[in-house]
């Protein structure tokens, strides 16, 4: 059975509202605009993960219980999921490698800048930036992330570009080849 698709536009509106800390009613109304998103949120809040004593039936109650921070994490995860389900197995594998390479490059090459978490997010958001750049610019978590997506010479842009250049060597890195050294000088 094929899982129903959640609207990317609704997810981006939800992320924007959460970033702006809109009121509970507004956030609930955005979620309710997509029946598949509504079902996901209600399923999550009523799951064993949340361990509630009573079942929650309203989106507003679910949002109040989950909280904006956790809901933002869920929305970003669903955005990535919606984006990746449209890709072939090879594209999906490439995307996941790139996401983790972004984080690894930030950690190892640009370690003094402490960019790991933002680099991971850049890897995720770069998959939708070409198609939904304008909307992402309105909702994104920080100006640094937008710059990293848009400008190759920004700190996060450099991380993203280097990760893309390292992608051909990804399998050697992932498999822990001890003789492999990052060819940073040759890639700049």
């Amino acid at each position: 059975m094929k899982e129903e698709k959640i609207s990317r536009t609704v997810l981006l509106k939800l992320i924007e509202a959460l970033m702006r800390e809109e009121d509970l009613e507004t956030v609930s109304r955005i979620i309710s605009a997509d029946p598949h998103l509504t079902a996901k949120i209600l399923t999550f809040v009523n799951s064993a993960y949340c361990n509630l004593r009573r079942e929650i039936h309203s989106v507003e109650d679910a949002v109040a219980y989950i909280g904006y921070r956790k809901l933002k994490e869920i929305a970003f995860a669903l955005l990535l999921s919606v984006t990746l389900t449209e890709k072939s197995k090879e594209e999906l594998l490439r995307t996941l490698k790139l996401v983790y390479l972004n984080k690894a490059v930030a950690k190892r090459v640009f370690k003094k800048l402490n960019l790991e978490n933002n680099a991971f997010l850049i890897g995720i958001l770069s998959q939708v930036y070409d198609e939904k750049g304008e909307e992402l610019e309105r909702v994104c978590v920080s100006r640094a992330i937008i710059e990293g997506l848009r400008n190759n010479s920004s700190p996060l842009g450099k991380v993203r570009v280097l990760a893309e250049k390292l992608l051909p060597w990804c399998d050697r890195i992932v498999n822990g080849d001890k003789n492999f050294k990052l060819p940073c000088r040759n890639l700049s």
Side-chain angles (χ1 to χ4, degrees), residues 8-96:
R8 254 196 258 190
T9 303
V10 172
L11 284 170
L12 288 167
K13 285 179 185 175
L14 174 60
I15 293 167
E16 180 178 23
L18 293 167
M19 298 302 290
R20 291 182 180 178
E21 297 184 359
E22 298 278 353
D23 61 84
L24 184 66
E25 185 180 324
T26 301
V27 171
S28 299
R29 192 171 44 249
I30 292 168
I31 292 169
S32 297
D34 186 311
H36 307 299
L37 178 57
T38 300
K40 284 275 190 205
I41 297 301
L42 289 173
T43 300
F44 172 76
V45 78
N46 289 306
S47 70
Y49 178 85
C50 293
N51 197 25
L52 296 176
R53 292 178 187 248
R54 65 175 182 88
E55 192 170 352
I56 291 181
H57 298 282
S58 84
V59 172
E60 209 166 289
D61 288 345
V63 170
Y65 179 80
I66 294 169
Y68 280 24
R69 182 172 172 218
K70 186 66 167 175
L71 192 55
K72 199 182 322 173
E73 292 172 10
I74 292 168
F76 273 116
L78 288 171
L79 179 62
L80 179 61
S81 174
V82 166
T83 302
L84 294 181
T85 56
E86 298 169 351
K87 296 183 177 283
S88 69
K89 184 177 178 180
E90 292 77 25
E91 290 174 310
L92 177 59
L93 187 56
R94 181 187 184 283
T95 297
L96 292 174

